[in-house]
Amino acid sequence: MIRSFVAAIFLTAAFLSATEAQASPEPTQSPTPQIATTPTKPLDQGFPSDPEIAKQPPTSNGQQAGYVRPTGKVRLKRYVNSMFGPISLGRNLFNSGIATWQNSPEEWGGQWEGFGRRVASNFGRNVIRQTTIYGLDSALKVDSHFYRSKDRSVKARIYNALVSPVAARKPNGKRTIGIPRLTGAYASSIIAYETWYPSRYDYKDGLKSGTISLGFNAAYNLFKEFVWKK
């Protein structure tokens, strides 16, 4: 059943990426008369107490100021880089080296053979994770990419880094619950622990690993907000 689920993920992502470019634009609605009313608070203002949203009011067409939705070509490039780019591959080698040094899991050994198995395992998990995110981003019309905060205050930058792993952006730039990221983190970990990891592991270990990966993601976002300026 797990293998069928993996196959379904890849087939769904392939179908969505093939049809995204052919999707017809949404029909435009004819303008309606404007009726003067008392200003009310919009129902959708992103996450509660979002300092970045609060300081960036939407433009006249509803687009959140400072946000430009990426094109399908840009999203596809990011998807490929998230699996085969130098940063992704370097992180894989580093994590595999640490796990080999710790001999975890011990069934894979601590030598070069064990290192190779861990590299392959981490690569497989990342492919499942990124493919899930890419496919669900297309299906739900959201953007899970991390963007540095436009508000350079310390509070806003910390908030942005910690919220981004569990958030996504709608077409107008406002934040919403990050279903693609959450699904990708937990699905990739559970599938790995239920399939190619030693038999003593199960889905509970996958849930724990998925939660830890979201925490590391938040820490990496903090690094990009305050240290790495590229």
Side-chain angles (χ1 to χ4, degrees):
M1 183 177 69
I2 295 295
R3 290 185 176 88
S4 298
F5 180 61
V6 176
I9 289 176
F10 279 91
L11 289 174
T12 300
F15 174 77
L16 290 170
S17 60
T19 57
E20 183 177 15
Q22 303 177 1
S24 59
E26 296 182 359
T28 57
Q29 297 180 350
S30 58
T32 56
Q34 298 295 324
I35 301 175
T37 57
T38 303
T40 57
K41 182 179 179 181
L43 295 178
D44 185 4
Q45 286 292 334
F47 277 30
S49 303
D50 188 333
E52 185 174 0
I53 295 294
K55 293 189 177 183
Q56 296 183 19
T59 59
S60 58
N61 63 355
Q63 183 80 14
Q64 199 67 37
Y67 174 78
V68 178
R69 181 170 174 79
T71 63
K73 183 177 180 180
V74 170
R75 290 183 54 255
L76 179 60
K77 182 178 179 181
R78 288 174 176 173
Y79 167 58
V80 174
N81 285 338
S82 69
M83 297 182 293
F84 304 104
I87 295 178
S88 175
L89 295 178
R91 187 164 48 191
N92 182 359
L93 293 176
F94 176 79
N95 292 336
S96 299
I98 295 296
T100 303
W101 176 64
Q102 296 176 335
N103 196 24
S104 174
E106 60 184 16
E107 289 87 344
W108 290 353
Q111 304 302 319
W112 284 108
E113 180 180 357
F115 175 75
R117 295 185 67 174
R118 293 178 179 93
V119 169
S121 173
N122 288 335
F123 179 78
R125 290 178 61 175
N126 189 48
V127 167
I128 295 172
R129 180 173 187 164
Q130 301 303 332
T131 300
T132 302
I133 294 173
Y134 179 72
L136 289 178
D137 270 359
S138 298
L140 301 177
K141 304 302 180 184
V142 296
D143 180 12
S144 297
H145 184 70
F146 172 75
Y147 298 93
R148 289 187 181 90
S149 174
K150 297 296 183 180
D151 182 350
R152 303 312 291 168
S153 68
V154 173
K155 177 182 178 181
R157 294 160 75 184
I158 292 176
Y159 179 91
N160 184 58
L162 298 182
V163 167
S164 291
V166 295
R169 292 192 182 272
K170 297 179 180 180
N172 62 5
K174 294 179 182 178
R175 281 194 174 106
T176 185
I177 298 297
I179 294 177
R181 280 192 172 276
L182 291 169
T183 305
Y186 287 109
S188 59
S189 297
I190 292 174
I191 290 171
Y193 280 96
E194 285 285 355
T195 53
W196 62 78
Y197 264 66
S199 59
R200 61 187 176 91
Y201 293 94
D202 59 17
Y203 74 93
K204 296 178 182 179
D205 299 287
L207 290 173
K208 179 181 178 180
S209 178
T211 302
I212 292 174
S213 72
L214 291 173
F216 275 111
N217 197 186
Y220 184 52
N221 290 344
L222 286 171
F223 174 79
K224 289 190 286 187
E225 280 282 5
F226 291 96
V227 180
W228 191 29
K229 304 301 181 180
K230 183 177 178 180

